[in-house]
Amino acid sequence: MQQALANMVKDDLKAKTFSSGSKGFHATGKITVDGDRYQAQAQAVLIGSKADPKVKVHAKRDEAVSVLAAIAENLAPKTFSSGRTGYYATGKAEIGGQRYQVQAQAVRL
């Protein structure tokens, strides 16, 4: 699971301004692990960027890829509010000298 999610992050991670106004990085895609399909996503949101629209992301894409691939190592089984099962990890990390809220999940389809 961890390697499949890390590969998805490496292939699909892009800089993003979220609908909330926050800035950071986001990747999403479908992955297959042991014959099971998952909808996976990972994101790194710059803390404080929603409150200050002038703040700029200093992190490079490759730095964010490394951090999000590493958080995939911490995936834990989870039952989501939808009743679906999968894996989830969250935390805070420094990327490019800035603090980010990072999160990754894979929901079984």
Side-chain angles (χ1 to χ4, degrees):
M1 172 58 64
Q2 290 87 350
Q3 189 59 51
L5 184 60
N7 288 341
M8 187 268 308
V9 167
K10 288 174 190 168
D11 292 342
D12 296 332
L13 191 71
K14 294 177 179 56
K16 179 172 177 133
T17 299
F18 297 92
S19 61
S20 65
S22 295
K23 297 173 184 160
F25 297 91
H26 184 264
T28 187
K30 291 190 172 50
I31 58 176
T32 302
V33 178
D34 297 331
D36 293 325
R37 301 256 310 145
Y38 293 85
Q39 176 66 43
Q41 69 98 17
Q43 63 185 28
V45 179
L46 178 58
I47 294 171
S49 62
K50 181 164 71 171
D52 183 0
K54 294 179 184 174
V55 73
K56 295 190 188 281
V57 171
H58 298 298
K60 305 274 188 268
R61 179 189 178 278
D62 291 344
E63 294 170 319
V65 166
S66 293
V67 169
L68 287 168
I71 197 168
E73 298 294 320
N74 298 320
L75 288 171
K78 178 174 176 132
T79 300
F80 296 92
S81 60
S82 64
R84 292 187 180 266
T85 59
Y87 298 88
Y88 182 80
T90 189
K92 290 187 173 54
E94 185 171 316
I95 310 172
Q98 296 173 304
R99 294 286 291 163
Y100 286 79
Q101 177 69 41
V102 294
Q103 179 263 332
Q105 71 180 33
V107 181
R108 188 172 180 198
L109 298 174

